[in-house]
Each structure stands twice: as structure tokens, then as C-alpha cells.
């Protein structure tokens, strides 16, 4: 009897814990994902068709299309993030190793993630505006004879968006890496330093192997999110002048047809583009897992 | 400050000083954003436009005192937007963490049909984003009547997310002996969870709550889409900036920026230590 | 100790925020949703776009209306974002709005015809509203089915606003009468070290200038009844040929290419926000900005706008193509001067008469040419249809909303509007007297007289325009081309010829595949 009651209590407890997230997941994750697939195959009249896909491939071939540019910039952004990744880890590492002023950096380096993007982009675009010394120096260094409007000029806009992203992301993921380095047992490093190990071999031979699982996981995540790679182009110049990325493009599609016109065909086309992108992303994801299979096995949550 | 350098080799010292110098440049540039915002909030509109980099000639506090009157967007006054921000960030973050931690606990400590599936699903979901669902999601929200309503916060009751993995890892490593002892004493499953297990996860819960809170406190993209009539402060500021066509009050704009930045700054300075040490992913290979 | 401190800090912060919210809520409600006391009566809910003319005028009109009609209870909600104002439009089940004062185009299926308001004579008026309205505006406001679904309740006249002080310093006494002369003026200003022009590229005010150029070149009839009705000479509509015809749009681009250049335009005009550029303009950073009658109200907290004046949009020099007896710009300018003197009352038309034709000095100008130039000169840029009033068909209080409109358009209501925003409306007072502008700013007075002398009011937002313009075919000579004329980046620069080619390419690409399909 007692046992039965216990079991009953357990079932109730489990239901309480899992029902809300599962219902939420079915409504807000499963349903829209399936309806995205259906929407991708509908035309503006709601009839089944492959129009959206033919349009997608047509636009992808067009050298001037937004979509093509968006893909190009997304890959570029991803490449830069990939190259920058080790440097971002180094930031946390040096703070962990207590470079002079690390206590100060530990706090200040959080600023880019604490300050809201709406504010930082607003300030940033004014700092690089024609009245500021940055734009003026660019004009002088390149001997242009005028001060360029960096965000409204194809020659500079995309570079500026990428630099802004690098600037703000320089400290990297302090929370994750701070936590990871903090877990390295101090004895290990102390004994190493007593053995007279140099900085470089300490880093490469002790630190990196120890945190490798985290690196591997982050790499997988980075690669799987490849099509989401984007700077703040939307807030900086609305994705104009060659700065649009895939995620900015997608966001703009939803935003511009929101409100009363939410049934517009724009959403169907967006779904088709999303579907194609997802298929490629699945491919990449499987590939990268095969590639890092060994690494991924080591990951433990 | 230079204590850490004492025992190092000269080359290493040089490296550390160089790194520190680079860090200093970045740190100063980040501080400059806040300083510039603060400075601009104390200038007049015309000064901000004509001399964006000069110090205020006279401190113009009217940007703050007139803010409640001038800063309003889509029928939302400053107080209303502050309420929206607090509602969606605090209630939203709490709901999400509350649901996720219970879900993760349940999945890590209990066996039930599909419990192993859930972990796999979350793992796939977090590593494989599905693109282009924005249109379908917008339609869904629209059909559920979750556009421009406080009930929109219900969408945050999510359990299938990255934080699930953090909590699950945490509970997996947590010994079950306490629970067994409590069970001996007659505690039921709810009591074990709330009295024994949950308290131990408090630091993790708190730091994940804080990061979630911060993300939604600063969030603009989904609010702009789904809640244009209930703007939170960041969206209010973004809209105010766009609608500045009809108002010449950049000073008020930057004053509002300061007001949004301060709570986040205070929380982070106060809880910096907890945040940087209580989360880890992937574990350590020892 | 530290830990405890943090806890207190967190609690303190949370309390402060909650407290702020609670007080804010109360304040927010009372402060922004202007609600009059909860008296019994029929409710009228207004949704209003808080544009450059603000909402103070509406508050004043409501006060006047409620005094006269205590049986009504008027409330309104506003936003500076048109999209937000219109977000629920058409959703009869959730939209409780009885009257919209916003920008919307061709949503006829949810709009109540306002013909009865036009035919009615308001209390205290001597004429019906229809008789009070400016005829050109009203012609454009009529939709194809003959009904009037929306009427102006904002917008204004536009012209080249200039800094009188800077013009004086550069010794410019003759305001530019043609676009060629405008380019010469820019040159003179430049040589005096003054930046001639500034603009906010995204704002698209040049679009309104283009409207004037189109109407000047092709004539207002063609503009309204052919181009914007998308109807060819044979009566076919929609007609692609109308859209691809090399008309005033092309010659407008040709003119812009002359004066919207990197040398003449203030640095930053392509990147700064509208308000920043206007602030710079008000602070003598550039001599001219194409802008509207609402400018002084919009920027009222930045002080007086006394040093600013507005000039009539210059005549497109290319209209010479259409004239047989006027074939150089100098002569065109002389004709314009004569036309101006006549409309200012300084001269009589008969002073220039020479038989059937006209004569300036020794040069004979044909009657047709004279009339063409006169019509072109008296074409004023406007966007009155850019903010309109309409009653949604599903309103629960249609009668109330219409009663309110009648009051709003009565002499009394119009005077309240004009006195609050000092902005003209294309509606005359029924008594025949002019608006008493004696207390208005000099800038406002100029706009009132600009409207008075206007014969033609081209307005791209008019109801008469064909549905194809709502199906995507709207951006012909806008932002991106203007940007391409004045960017410093040679890679993005374009000539008028290239811009026009893009326009035509776009039409060829989209006409059948998109626009025709999208027409509701």
C-alpha cells in the first residue's frame, strides 16, 4: 500500500516536472518547424508549389541578389569568428593567469555583454560618424579628400560591421571559460611551475588538453550555428550597403511583414530558404561530428 | 597588482605586460561607450549633434527630469516600459529556469518512458538550429493571440534548451544518498526535490537565472517583432530613436540608455564572482 | 559581510524596480492614453499617427468637440510608428477603433465612404465641406468607384527651405526659378564656402520633389489620370507602357544629377538620422533642405526658425522640351518671373499680352507655352494624403466618428488645427475669409501663401492611384538613386541614365511576375 502510494506520488511528480516543458516544446518548437516545411511548398495563393525553391535558386545565381550577398557575408562572418576563436579563449586564460589588472578586466570585459546592443550600436555609429576622428583618419590615411560615411559606403560598411563585432566579442565567453579554467586543479599548475615549465608548454601541454572537451563542444556548436553567424548589421545600418547576413535577412523578412500582413507570401519564401539552409546545416553538422568524433566522445555534460 | 609577475621569467613578464596593455585598450574602449552615453545624456540635443565628442558646457539634467514626459513610445510611458521590461525579463527568466531545472532534475534522477530520448532531443536541438522558422513562429503567435500581450511570457516556459544540459550534468553528479535519507524520513518526491536537491543547485540556478534575465533585459529583436505595443526599454529606445524624426531630443534618448544600463551593471558588478565560477560546460579532463 | 551586502543590494534593486513599475503603471496610463472622465455617453476611439504635427491639435479639437457634443466621449491612442497605429486595422474582431487618423492606402474594403460628410454643411459653416476643399486635392482623393473613403488630416506643403542669412551673405538675391538655376545657386554658395544642400536620405522628401517635377513635365492631368491611374492614352489600365515611358521621372533624375552631388551635399547626409540633419540645418551647416510646412513645429524645442524661408520648388528646366517658343533656360526664367509677378498681383496678364500670344521684351511666347509654364510654376509639392482620416466599416460608433469628423473639418475645427500647428490644410474657410496667420511664424505664413497660390497639388498618396502602386510598383525615383548621386564612393555612384535603366529593369522584372499578381 505504502509502496503504491509512493509510486503514485512519483508519477505525479514526474508529470508535474515534464508536462509544461513538453507542451511548450510541442507548441512552440515542433509545430512551427513542421509548419515551416508546409509553408515552404506553398505559393501566394496557398496552393502547393515549388515556386519558392525555384525563386531561391534563381536568386542565388543572381550576382546582385540580397540572398547571395547574405550567404557570402554569413560565411565571411563565420570565418572570422572561427579564426578569432582561439584569441577569445586566450583572453579568459590570461585573466585566469592573473595578468596585471586582471581583477579590473574581469569586470570591465563583461561590459559588451551587459550593455544592450541597441545602445552600443547607437553610440558606435556616432563615434565612427563623419564628425569623429575615426572616419576622418580613414579619409586622411586613404587620401580621399573627404570624410567617408563608413556605414553608408560599400567599401567600408561590411568591414566596419565585422570590426564592431570583433571589438565587442573580444572578451569571448567569459562565463564559460572563466568557469572552465577555474576548475583546473591548482596543484597541477603549481607542480608544473616548480618543474620550470615555460609558459608556452604549460599552455599547450597542460592547459589545452585539460580544457579540450570544452573546446571541442564549442567548436561543434560554432560550426552548427554557421548560418546564424552575424554582426549587428541590422541595428548599424539595417543590413544595407553590402552588410546583410542570412540572419539579418531572415529577421527583416519577418519584421517587415509582421502585423496585419502576416499571411503574406514573404513568409512562405522565407520558410523555403530556411528549409534549404537547414538541410545544408544538417549536412555540415553530421560532417563535423564525424570529423570530431573522437573529440565529441570526450564531451561529458 | 604586479604580484603575479614576480616569479615569472623575463620573456613571460614582457608577454604579460603586453597582453595587459592590449586588454587595457579594449577595457578603456568599453568604458568609453558608457562615458560617452553618460556625457551625451547631460548635454543638450543641439550639443550632441554639433559637438558629439565635447564635454557638456553646462550639465543638462533636464534630459532626466523631462524623461517621463518626453520618452514615450506607442502609448507606453517610461514607467510602463520599465514594467514591461521587468515583467518579461524577471518573470520570463524565472519561469524558464523554474521549468528547466525541474525538467532536468526529473530527467536525470527518474526513469520514465522517453526520459533518455529527451536528452538526445535537447542535444540535437542545441547543436542544430533550424533556420527560417520566423514566419511560421510569427503566425503561430498571432493565431494564439500572443502578440502584444503580457501572456507572451508563457512562451518562455521552455525546458528544451542549453540550460537543461547544465542542470542535468549538475544533478547527474549529485549524490542520491541525501534523497534516500530523506525518503527514509518519509519525505515525498516533491519534498525531496524542493528541500534537498533544489537548495544544492542554488548557485547554478542563480547564475543561469541572472544570465537569462540579462539577455531578456537587453533583448530587442523578439520584442520588436512580437510586442511592438508593449515595448520594453531597449525596444522603446530603439523606436524612440527611429521616431526621433518627430522629436528633437537625443539627450533624453541617451538618458534612457543610462537608465537601462544601470541595473544590469549593478547586478554584474555585485555578482561577478558567482557568475564566472559556477558554470562550466564540457567538464575537465583530469 | 560582502555576501550579505550583495543580498541587500539585490533586494533593494528589486524593490526599487517594482516600486518604479507600480508608480509607472499609474502614471503611464494617465499620462499617455488621454482619457476624459468616465462620463456616460457614446465612446469614440481614435487611433492617431503622432507625426511631425504632433497630437496637441487633436487634444484641442477633442476639447472643442466634447464641449459642443457632451453626449460623446472621445479617447485616443497614438504612436509615431505608422505600422503600430495600423497594426490591428482590418481585424474586426479585435479592433475597437472608430476613427483612424493615420497613413493608409487603398484599404477600401474596411473603409466607410465619407461622401455624406463631404456633402454636409457643418454647424456654423456656410458651405458644404466639398465646396471648401481644394479642387485638385479632392480630385485625387476620389477613388475609382467614385467614393471618398479618406480625407486629409495632416501632411502639408513642401518646398526648398533655405537659410536667408546664408543666402544674403553669398549675395544671392534672385531665388532659383528653374533647376538649372538651382545648380548655379549651389555653385555660388559653394564658392562662398557655404555647403549648399543637406538631406536625410532615408526620409525620401525628394520623392515629393519628384512628384512636382513629374507634374510639371507631363502636366497634372497626365500625372493624375494616366501615370498614377496607370492608364495609357487608349484607356488600357493597368498599362506597363505607362510605367516604362520616359516621362517626368527620367527628367527629374537628370535634374538631381546636377545638384545632388558630393560637392554640394553636406557630409553625413547619407548616414545621419533625420533629426540630426535637421538640427545641423537649423544650425547653419547647410543653406538648403527640401522640407515641409511641419518643420518648425517638429523642431519647436530648438528655438526660433525665423532665419528660414521656403521657396517654391523650382521649375524643371527640361520642360523646355514641351515648349515650342521657349528654348533656353534664361528665357524660361523670364517667363517664370512674369508668372510670379502676376500671381503676386504686381502685374496683370494683359501687361504681357500680344495678340493671341504673349511677349516678354521682344520675344514672343505662344499662348500654349505660357499656360504650360504657368501651370508648372504653380505646382506645389504636398503630401496632404500622407495622413488621412477614415472610419473603419466595423466601427461600433460610426455616427459618432462621422460627427467628430464634421466638427474637425468645420471652420471652428480647422481654425483650432491651424492655430495649434501653424500648418496649412487644403480646405478653405466657408466664409471665404483666409486663415488669420498674423500670429504665426514667418515660415508658417509662407507655407500658407504657398498653398494659396497653388494651382496643382500633385500628391503621390492620393486615393486615385492605381492598385499596382500598392502591389510593389512604388519606388521609381527614390532613396537609392538619390544616394547614388551624392555618395563619395565612386563604386556606388550612378548617373541619371544608369538610375533610369535600373528603374526600367525593375519594372520589366517585376511587372508581370510580382505586381500584377499582388494586386488585390
Amino acid at each position: 500500500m505504502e509502496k503504491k502510494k509512493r509510486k503514485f506520488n512519483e508519477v505525479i511528480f514526474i508529470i508535474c516536472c515534464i508536462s509544461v516543458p513538453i507542451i511548450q516544446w510541442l507548441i512552440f518548437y515542433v509545430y512551427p518547424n513542421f509548419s515551416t516545411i508546409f509553408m515552404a511548398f506553398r505559393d501566394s495563393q496557398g496552393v502547393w508549389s515549388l515556386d519558392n525553391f525555384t525563386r531561391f535558386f534563381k536568386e542565388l545565381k543572381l550576382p546582385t541578389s540580397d540572398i547571395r550577398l547574405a550567404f557570402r557575408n554569413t560565411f565571411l562572418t563565420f570565418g572570422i569568428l572561427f579564426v578569432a576563436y582561439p584569441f577569445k579563449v586566450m583572453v579568459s586564460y590570461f585573466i585566469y593567469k592573473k595578468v596585471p589588472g586582471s581583477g579590473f578586466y574581469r569586470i570591465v570585459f563583461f561590459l559588451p555583454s551587459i550593455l544592450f546592443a541597441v545602445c552600443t550600436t547607437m553610440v558606435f555609429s556616432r563615434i565612427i560618424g563623419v564628425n569623429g576622428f575615426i572616419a576622418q583618419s580613414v579619409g586622411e590615411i586613404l587620401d580621399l579628400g573627404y570624410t567617408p560615411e563608413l556605414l553608408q559606403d560599400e567599401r567600408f560598411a561590411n568591414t566596419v560591421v565585422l570590426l564592431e563585432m570583433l571589438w565587442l566579442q573580444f572578451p569571448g565567453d567569459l562565463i564559460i571559460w572563466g568557469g572552465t579554467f577555474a576548475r583546473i586543479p591548482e596543484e597541477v599548475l603549481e607542480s608544473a611551475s616548480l618543474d620550470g615549465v615555460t609558459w608556452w608548454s604549460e599552455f599547450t601541454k597542460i592547459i589545452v588538453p585539460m580544457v579540450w572537451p570544452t573546446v571541442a563542444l564549442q567548436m561543434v556548436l560554432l560550426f552548427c550555428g554557421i548560418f546564424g553567424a552575424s554582426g549587428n548589421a541590422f541595428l548599424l545600418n539595417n543590413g544595407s550597403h553590402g552588410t546583410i547576413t542570412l540572419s539579418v535577412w531572415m529577421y527583416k523578412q519577418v519584421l517587415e511583414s509582421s502585423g496585419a500582413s502576416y499571411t503574406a507570401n514573404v513568409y512562405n519564401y522565407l520558410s523555403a530558404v530556411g528549409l534549404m539552409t537547414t538541410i545544408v546545416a544538417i549536412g555540415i553538422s553530421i560532417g563535423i561530428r564525424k570529423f570530431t568524433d573522437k573529440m565529441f566522445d570526450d564531451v561529458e555534460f | 597588482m604586479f604580484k603575479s609577475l614576480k616569479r615569472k621569467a623575463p620573456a613571460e613578464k614582457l608577454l604579460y605586460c603586453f597582453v595587459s596593455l592590449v586588454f587595457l585598450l579594449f577595457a578603456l574602449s568599453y568604458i568609453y561607450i558608457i562615458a560617452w552615453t553618460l556625457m551625451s545624456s547631460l548635454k543638450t540635443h543641439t550639443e550632441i549633434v554639433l559637438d558629439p565628442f565635447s564635454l557638456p558646457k553646462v550639465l543638462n539634467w533636464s534630459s532626466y527630469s523631462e524623461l517621463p514626459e518626453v520618452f514615450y513610445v506607442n502609448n507606453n510611458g517610461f514607467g510602463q516600459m520599465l514594467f514591461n521590461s521587468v515583467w518579461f525579463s524577471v518573470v520570463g527568466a524565472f519561469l524558464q529556469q523554474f521549468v528547466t531545472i525541474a525538467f532536468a532534475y526529473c530527467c536525470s534522477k527518474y526513469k520514465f518512458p522517453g526520459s533518455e530520448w529527451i536528452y538526445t532531443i535537447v542535444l540535437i536541438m542545441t547543436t542544430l538550429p533550424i533556420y527560417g522558422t520566423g514566419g511560421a513562429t510569427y503566425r503561430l503567435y498571432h493565431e494564439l493571440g500572443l502578440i502584444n500581450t503580457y501572456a507572451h511570457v508563457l512562451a518562455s516556459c521552455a525546458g528544451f534548451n542549453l540550460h537543461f544540459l547544465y542542470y542535468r550534468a549538475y544533478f547527474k553528479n549529485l549524490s542520491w544518498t541525501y534523497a534516500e535519507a530523506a525518503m527514509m524520513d518519509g519525505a515525498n518526491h516533491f519534498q525531496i526535490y524542493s528541500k534537498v536537491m533544489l537548495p544544492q543547485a542554488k548557485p547554478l540556478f542563480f547564475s543561469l537565472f541572472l544570465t537569462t534575465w540579462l539577455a531578456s533585459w537587453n533583448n530587442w529583436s523578439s520584442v520588436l517583432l512580437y510586442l511592438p505595443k508593449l515595448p520594453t526599454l531597449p525596444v522603446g529606445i530603439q523606436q524612440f530613436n527611429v521616431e526621433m524624426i518627430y522629436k528633437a531630443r537625443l539627450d533624453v534618448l541617451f538618458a534612457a540608455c543610462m537608465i537601462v544600463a544601470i541595473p544590469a551593471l549593478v547586478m554584474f558588478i555585485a555578482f561577478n564572482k558567482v557568475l564566472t565560477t559556477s558554470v562550466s560546460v564540457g567538464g575537465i579532463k583530469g | 559581510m560582502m555576501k550579505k551586502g550583495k543580498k541587500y543590494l539585490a533586494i533593494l534593486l528589486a524593490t526599487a524596480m517594482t516600486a518604479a513599475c507600480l508608480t509607472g503603471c499609474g502614471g503611464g496610463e494617465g499620462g499617455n492614453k488621454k482619457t476624459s472622465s468616465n462620463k456616460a455617453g457614446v465612446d469614440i476611439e481614435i487611433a492617431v499617427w503622432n507625426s511631425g504635427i504632433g497630437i496637441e491639435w487633436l487634444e484641442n479639437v477633442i476639447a472643442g468637440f466634447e464641449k459642443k457634443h457632451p453626449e460623446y466621449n472621445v479617447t485616443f491612442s497614438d504612436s509615431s510608428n505608422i505600422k503600430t497605429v495600423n497594426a490591428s486595422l482590418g481585424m474586426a474582431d479585435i479592433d475597437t477603433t472608430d476613427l483612424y487618423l493615420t497613413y493608409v492606402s487603398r484599404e477600401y474594403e474596411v473603409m466607410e465612404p465619407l461622401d455624406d460628410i463631404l456633402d454636409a454643411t457643418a454647424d456654423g459653416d456656410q458651405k458644404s465641406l466639398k465646396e471648401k476643399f481644394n479642387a485638385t486635392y479632392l480630385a485625387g482623393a476620389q477613388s475609382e468607384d467614385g467614393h471618398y473613403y479618406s480625407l486629409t488630416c495632416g501632411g502639408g506643403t513642401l518646398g526648398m527651405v533655405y537659410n536667408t542669412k546664408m543666402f544674403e551673405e553669398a549675395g544671392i538675391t534672385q531665388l532659383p526659378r528653374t533647376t538649372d538655376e538651382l545648380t548655379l545657386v549651389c555653385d555660388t554658395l559653394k564658392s562662398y564656402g557655404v555647403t549648399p544642400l543637406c538631406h536625410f536620405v532615408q526620409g525620401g522628401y525628394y520623392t515629393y520633389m519628384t512628384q512636382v517635377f513629374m507634374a510639371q513635365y507631363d502636366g497634372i492631368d497626365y500625372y493624375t489620370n494616366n501615370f498614377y491611374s496607370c492608364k495609357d492614352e487608349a484607356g488600357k489600365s493597368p498599362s506597363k507602357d505607362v510605367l516604362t515611358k520616359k516621362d517626368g521621372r527620367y527628367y527629374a533624375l537628370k535634374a538631381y544629377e546636377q545638384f545632388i552631388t558630393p560637392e554640394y551635399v553636406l557630409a553625413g547626409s547619407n548616414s545621419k538620422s533625420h533629426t540630426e540633419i535637421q538640427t545641423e540645418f537649423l544650425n547653419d551647416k547647410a543653406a538648403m533642405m527640401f522640407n515641409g510646412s511641419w518643420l518648425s513645429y517638429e523642431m519647436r524645442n530648438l528655438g526660433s526658425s525665423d532665419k528660414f524661408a521656403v521657396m517654391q520648388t523650382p521649375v524643371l528646366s527640361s520642360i523646355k522640351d514641351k515648349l515650342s517658343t521657349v528654348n533656353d533656360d534664361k528665357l524660361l526664367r523670364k517667363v517664370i518671373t512674369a508668372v510670379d509677378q502676376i500671381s503676386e498681383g504686381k502685374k496683370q496678364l494683359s501687361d504681357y499680352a500680344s495678340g493671341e500670344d504673349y511677349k516678354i521684351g521682344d520675344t514672343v511666347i505662344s499662348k500654349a507655352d505660357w499656360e504650360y509654364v504657368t501651370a508648372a510654376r504653380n505646382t506645389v509639392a504636398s503630401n496632404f494624403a500622407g495622413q488621412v482620416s477614415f472610419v473603419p466599416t466595423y466601427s461600433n460608433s460610426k455616427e459618432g466618428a462621422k460627427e467628430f469628423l464634421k466638427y474637425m473639418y468645420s471652420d471652428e475645427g480647422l481654425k483650432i488645427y491651424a492655430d495649434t500647428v501653424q500648418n496649412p490644410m487644403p480646405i478653405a474657410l466657408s466664409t471665404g475669409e483666409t486663415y488669420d496667420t498674423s500670429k504665426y511664424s514667418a515660415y508658417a505664413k509662407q507655407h500658407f501663401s504657398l498653398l494659396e497660390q497653388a494651382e496643382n497639388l500633385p500628391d503621390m498618396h492620393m486615393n486615385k492611384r492605381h492598385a499596382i502602386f500598392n502591389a510593389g510598383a512604388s519606388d521609381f525615383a527614390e532613396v537609392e538613386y538619390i544616394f547614388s548621386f551624392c555618395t563619395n564612393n565612386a563604386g556606388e555612384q550612378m548617373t541619371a541614365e544608369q538610375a533610369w535603366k535600373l528603374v526600367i529593369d525593375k519594372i520589366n522584372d517585376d511587372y508581370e511576375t510580382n505586381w500584377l499578381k499582388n494586386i488585390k
Side-chain angles (χ1 to χ4, degrees), chain A residues 80-259:
Chain A
I80 287 172
L81 285 178
F82 183 74
V83 172
Y85 186 77
F87 293 96
K88 295 200 278 186
V89 178
M90 298 283 260
V91 172
S92 284
Y93 171 71
F94 278 112
I95 289 177
Y96 163 70
K97 289 294 284 179
K98 299 209 165 50
V99 291
S102 57
F104 169 69
Y105 301 135
R106 193 192 291 280
I107 294 178
V108 174
F109 280 2
F110 265 109
L111 282 179
S113 44
I114 298 170
L115 289 173
F116 54 117
V118 172
C119 176
T120 45
T121 49
M122 243 163 31
V123 175
F124 177 80
S125 54
R126 285 187 168 82
I127 289 174
I128 61 153
V130 287
N131 298 358
F133 90 98
I134 294 178
Q136 285 164 4
S137 321
V138 171
E140 277 163 30
I141 291 165
L142 299 179
D143 200 17
L144 295 173
Y146 55 83
T147 308
E149 297 174 78
L150 297 175
L151 279 170
Q152 311 293 331
D153 190 323
E154 262 176 10
R155 289 169 298 174
F156 309 108
N158 207 21
T159 315
V160 170
V161 169
L162 291 169
L163 284 177
E164 195 250 13
M165 178 187 75
L166 281 179
W167 170 57
L168 288 178
Q169 292 194 4
F170 171 75
D173 205 335
L174 290 175
I175 291 187
I176 302 259
W177 286 107
T180 309
F181 287 124
R183 280 190 172 195
I184 296 175
E186 267 181 46
E187 314 89 70
V188 179
L189 293 188
E190 258 169 39
S191 62
S193 90
L194 287 178
D195 293 346
V197 173
T198 63
W199 169 81
W200 180 244
S201 44
E202 177 193 287
F203 181 72
T204 50
K205 302 241 168 74
I206 302 174
I207 305 276
V208 171
M210 283 189 92
V211 299
W212 189 250
T214 312
V215 174
L217 177 71
Q218 298 258 304
M219 276 293 139
V220 172
L221 287 177
L222 190 66
F223 266 97
C224 295
I226 178 167
F227 293 109
S230 179
N232 276 324
F234 179 80
L235 291 174
L236 283 171
N237 71 356
N238 201 23
S240 61
H241 300 279
T243 63
I244 200 155
T245 56
L246 200 57
S247 63
V248 171
W249 182 84
M250 287 180 171
Y251 183 75
K252 279 179 74 174
Q253 302 302 304
V254 183
L255 184 67
E256 279 159 19
S257 299
S258 64

Side-chain angles (χ1 to χ4, degrees), chain A residues 24 98 114 167 224 251 289 301, chain B residues 4 29-30 127 155 169 218 221:
Chain A
Q24 196 275 352
K98 299 209 165 50
I114 298 170
W167 170 57
C224 295
Y251 183 75
R289 269 184 218 197
F301 279 102
Chain B
S4 60
S29 73
Y30 299 147
T127 50
N218 287 345
S221 55

Side-chain angles (χ1 to χ4, degrees), chain C residues 229-282:
Chain C
S229 303
C230 200
K231 192 190 279 177
D232 63 17
E233 315 283 305
K236 184 187 161 225
S237 170
S239 154
K240 189 175 163 185
D241 296 341
V242 170
L243 299 182
T244 50
K245 185 180 162 190
K246 210 173 221 182
D247 58 14
R249 292 167 294 157
Y250 170 77
Y251 295 97
L253 290 174
K254 283 296 232 187
Y256 291 144
E257 183 185 46
Q258 303 297 315
F259 60 85
I260 303 179
T261 64
E263 296 82 55
Y264 293 157
V265 172
L266 179 68
S269 285
N270 291 330
S271 54
K272 287 187 182 167
S273 71
H274 183 269
T275 191
E276 280 169 283
I277 288 294
Q278 278 189 176
T279 308
E280 294 201 35
F281 177 60
L282 296 183

Side-chain angles (χ1 to χ4, degrees), chain A residues 31-94:
Chain A
Y31 175 78
N33 284 335
F34 274 102
S35 83
T36 300
I37 299 175
F38 287 114
M39 281 161 69
F41 293 96
R42 305 251 174 184
D43 70 3
S44 55
Q45 315 297 324
V47 182
W48 291 96
S49 92
L50 288 173
D51 278 9
N52 295 320
F53 295 95
T54 22
R55 182 173 154 203
F56 173 60
F57 287 112
K58 193 181 129 200
E59 285 191 9
L60 211 51
K61 275 185 227 146
L62 231 62
T64 53
S65 78
D66 266 5
I67 274 280
R68 194 185 161 98
L69 186 64
F71 272 100
R72 204 201 112 221
N73 284 340
T74 303
F75 290 133
L76 184 64
T77 311
F78 171 77
I80 287 172
L81 285 178
F82 183 74
V83 172
Y85 186 77
F87 293 96
K88 295 200 278 186
V89 178
M90 298 283 260
V91 172
S92 284
Y93 171 71
F94 278 112

Side-chain angles (χ1 to χ4, degrees), chain C residues 46 58 61-62 65 99 400-408:
Chain C
I46 301 177
L58 181 62
V61 171
I62 290 176
F65 175 73
L99 175 62
K402 287 190 173 176
E403 208 51 55
F404 182 81
L405 283 180
K406 273 184 209 159
Y407 177 77
M408 199 174 104

